[in-house]
Amino acid sequence: MSKIQMTTPLVEMDGDEMTRILWKMIKDELILPFVDLKTEYYDLGLEHRNETNDQVTFDSAEATKKYGVAVKCATITPNAARMDEYDLKEMWKSPNGTIRAILDGTVFRAPITVKGIVPTVSKWKKPITIARHAYGDVYKGVEIKVPGAGKAELVFTGEDGQEIRETIHEFDGPGIIQGMHNVDASIESFARSCFTYALDTKQDLWFATKDTISKKYDHNFKDIFQDIYDKEYADKFEAAGIEYFYTLIDDAVARVMKSEGGFIWACKNYDGDVMSDMISSAFGSLAMMTSVLVSPQGYYEYEAAHGTVQRHYYKYLNGEETSTNSVATIFAWTGALRKRGELDGNTELMEFADQLEKATLDTIESGTMTKDLALITTLEEVNAVNSEDFIKAIAARLK
Ligand code: NAP
Ligand code: MG
C-alpha cells in the first residue's frame, strides 16, 4: 500500500505526561503507517520549554503563522509543585495562553458524539459548539474591598488629558467594587473568528450578551458583531444558507436547552467558561471534546480539550495498566490533517482524516472503549480496554 503524500508540513507541538505517551502511540499506530507525514516538530514538553527558556513555545506559534495549521498535545501549566518536580528556572506561563496571545484566536469546543453515549439533555441530537472569547472582562478585573463609608468613582484619563468620570456608588458602609475592561480590537477578532468558523463548518452562529442591562459594555459587543456581520459576512452567510442570530443571554440559555443542537454558540469570556463545562459534561466527557483555536487571519491550532491526565501518567510510570481515552487527541490530529488537506487541495489526506475518525467512533460503537466511557455507556456489551489496546483496535479497523 502506498502512503498518502503531503505537500506542506503541519506544525507538531508535542506535550507532557500521559498525553505525550498517547501522542506517540497515535502517530505510530494510526498515522505513520498510512501517511507520509510531514511535520515541523516542536517539543513543548516542560523539560524542553525550561531548557529553551520557553522560546520553543513562541517559535511554535510563529511557525503556525507560517504554515497555517498546528496540532498540539496537552501540556503542563507549571505551578509551585511543578517547579520542584521539574526543577524549573521559572514558573513558565501556560503555553495555551502564549499561543493564544500570538495567534489572537478564539477557542471552539465541540462534543464528539457517538452511539451509546447519550446526552443528558434528551432533545440534543447534534453537537453544540461553544466559541469562547478568551480576553478580558472579569479575567482582567481589578477589585477593591471597600472598608467603610465613602464614594467610589470610575475615572478614565485620556492621553490628551480628557477626563471621563462616573460615580459608581456612595457607600454607607463596607462593600466591594470591581473594574473590568475589554478592547474593541479583541472583540473584533473574536467576531471575525466566529463568523469564519460558522462558514467553515456551515453552522448557524448564535451570540448573546446582557445588553439590556449593560447598555454600554455588553452593547458594544453586540454592535461590533452586528457591524462586522453586515459589512463582511451577511452575503456569505446567505450564500451558505446559514444564519447569524443575536439574543439576550438568558433567552439563549433557555433556547439552547430546547434546541436540537447543531450550531455555534459564541459566548463572552465568563459565559463561555461556565457554559462550556455545562455542555461538555452534558454530552458525556472532556475526553470526547474537540478543541480548535482559530485566528482571525485563518490560522488553526487543534488540540484536545483535556489536560495531560497526570494521575494516569503516574500509574503508567509505576508500570500499572492505564485506560486513558485518546479520542480527543486523535481528533486533534484528524482536524489538523483535514484542514491541511483542505488548504493544499489534498483530497486523499482529507479522506484519511474522515476514515480515521470513523474507525475511532465505530470502535466505540462496537463496544470497545476506555474505562471512562465504559462507566457511562448505554451499550450492553462492553469491552473495556487499556490505553494501548484501544488504539490498536482502531488501527485494526482502519486497516
Ligand atoms: P486533566 O488532565 O484534564 O485530568 C483530570 C481528570 O479527568 C483525570 O484525572 C481523569 O479522571 C479525567 N480525564 C481527563 N482526560 C481524560 C482522558 N483522556 N481519559 C480518561 N480520563 C480523563 O486535568 P488535571 O489532571 O487537572 O491536569 C493535569 C495537567 O494538565 C496540569 O498540569 C494542567 O496544567 C494541564 N492542563 C493542560 C491543558 C492543555 O494543555 N490544554 C488543559 C488542562 C490542564 P480520573 O483520574 O478520575 O480517571
Ligand atoms: Mg472553567
Side-chain angles (χ1 to χ4, degrees):
M1 189 178 69
S2 68
K3 290 190 191 180
I4 296 163
Q5 296 298 310
M6 288 177 67
T7 46
T8 320
L10 279 179
V11 178
E12 176 182 354
M13 305 171 175
D14 207 343
D16 288 299
E17 300 194 311
M18 199 60 209
T19 41
R20 190 181 179 98
I21 308 293
L22 298 178
W23 193 260
K24 183 165 187 320
M25 287 184 199
I26 291 168
K27 276 176 70 180
D28 288 346
E29 299 284 337
L30 302 178
I31 298 172
L32 292 172
F34 308 96
V35 179
D36 194 10
L37 186 67
K38 278 199 173 68
T39 71
E40 193 163 294
Y41 179 84
Y42 292 86
D43 183 0
L44 266 53
L46 186 51
E47 275 142 1
H48 194 238
R49 274 184 275 149
N50 192 49
E51 276 163 28
T52 62
N53 296 326
D54 208 22
Q55 187 58 40
V56 64
T57 307
F58 291 84
D59 293 346
S60 71
E62 290 302 331
T64 306
K65 285 186 173 174
K66 180 173 165 196
Y67 293 112
V69 187
V71 55
K72 180 180 172 290
C73 180
T75 46
I76 292 169
T77 299
N79 55 15
R82 302 294 200 170
M83 292 289 288
D84 295 339
E85 187 183 351
Y86 286 84
D87 193 18
L88 301 179
K89 296 185 227 172
E90 240 180 75
M91 204 184 284
W92 307 112
K93 291 208 174 117
S94 149
N96 288 349
T98 302
I99 295 165
R100 203 178 294 150
I102 293 173
L103 299 182
D104 187 20
T106 300
V107 178
F108 295 86
R109 291 200 161 165
I112 300 163
T113 50
V114 62
K115 242 182 274 154
I117 307 293
V118 181
T120 316
V121 179
S122 54
K123 282 221 64 169
W124 290 353
K125 301 283 178 264
K126 289 181 239 164
I128 295 169
T129 303
I130 294 274
R132 174 183 171 190
H133 186 210
Y135 178 82
D137 302 351
V138 67
Y139 301 85
K140 290 267 180 199
V142 177
E143 306 186 328
I144 299 175
K145 206 160 158 34
V146 174
K151 180 178 177 181
E153 289 179 283
L154 203 55
V155 183
F156 167 80
T157 314
E159 262 183 340
D160 59 359
Q162 178 210 18
E163 196 179 274
I164 307 174
R165 192 176 279 268
E166 289 280 350
T167 300
I168 297 172
H169 190 64
E170 310 252 7
F171 285 90
D172 299 327
I176 38 180
I177 309 170
Q178 183 180 67
M180 59 184 196
H181 80 279
N182 221 300
V183 289
D184 286 1
S186 174
I187 302 168
E188 287 162 10
S189 295
F190 173 46
R192 290 199 176 91
S193 298
C194 291
F195 290 128
T196 305
Y197 195 74
L199 282 169
D200 255 17
T201 59
K202 293 230 178 347
Q203 296 183 86
D204 290 346
L205 177 71
W206 294 19
F207 181 47
T209 73
K210 195 69 183 173
D211 66 283
T212 46
I213 300 296
S214 173
K215 291 191 196 314
K216 286 185 183 141
Y217 199 104
D218 276 19
H219 217 288
N220 192 51
F221 278 83
K222 178 185 177 183
D223 290 345
I224 286 176
F225 264 70
Q226 194 63 50
D227 196 45
I228 290 179
Y229 177 73
D230 292 342
K231 286 193 183 124
E232 301 171 27
Y233 292 94
D235 295 346
K236 294 177 192 156
F237 267 52
E238 198 175 326
I242 57 174
E243 253 185 59
Y244 169 57
F245 173 59
Y246 176 86
T247 187
L248 280 172
I249 185 69
D250 38 355
D251 181 50
V253 170
R255 284 173 189 262
V256 163
M257 298 310 280
K258 288 188 282 180
S259 78
E260 293 203 336
F263 54 89
I264 300 161
W265 184 10
C267 291
K268 284 179 65 200
N269 209 349
Y270 176 82
D271 297 339
D273 186 352
V274 175
M275 291 306 166
S276 72
D277 283 2
M278 184 190 79
I279 297 283
S280 67
S281 52
F283 270 104
S285 151
L286 258 194
M288 297 293 285
M289 193 90 179
T290 62
S291 183
V292 56
L293 174 73
V294 181
S295 86
Q297 291 79 23
Y299 310 129
Y300 295 78
E301 184 240 298
Y302 293 83
E303 57 170 7
H306 57 77
T308 60
V309 212
Q310 182 181 16
R311 212 176 63 81
H312 296 206
Y313 181 59
Y314 288 155
K315 282 173 76 178
Y316 171 87
L317 288 181
N318 270 334
E320 289 171 52
E321 187 167 79
T322 60
S323 183
T324 315
N325 188 336
S326 46
V327 172
T329 307
I330 294 170
F331 273 62
W333 274 100
T334 53
L337 289 170
R338 184 185 294 106
K339 179 54 74 180
R340 187 71 275 161
E342 208 179 296
L343 296 177
D344 295 349
N346 187 342
T347 344
E348 267 195 305
L349 196 59
M350 292 168 71
E351 281 167 9
F352 172 75
D354 292 345
Q355 283 166 4
L356 176 48
E357 288 182 1
K358 185 170 185 314
T360 305
L361 299 181
D362 286 351
T363 300
I364 299 172
E365 289 179 357
S366 77
T368 299
M369 59 189 81
T370 44
K371 272 188 194 153
D372 56 318
L373 297 184
L375 285 172
I376 56 171
T377 185
T378 53
L379 295 181
E380 308 238 305
E381 293 203 5
V382 178
N383 174 23
V385 291
N386 65 37
S387 310
E388 195 173 1
D389 287 348
F390 178 63
I391 290 172
K392 289 206 159 133
I394 298 169
R397 204 170 269 276
L398 188 59
K399 273 175 196 137

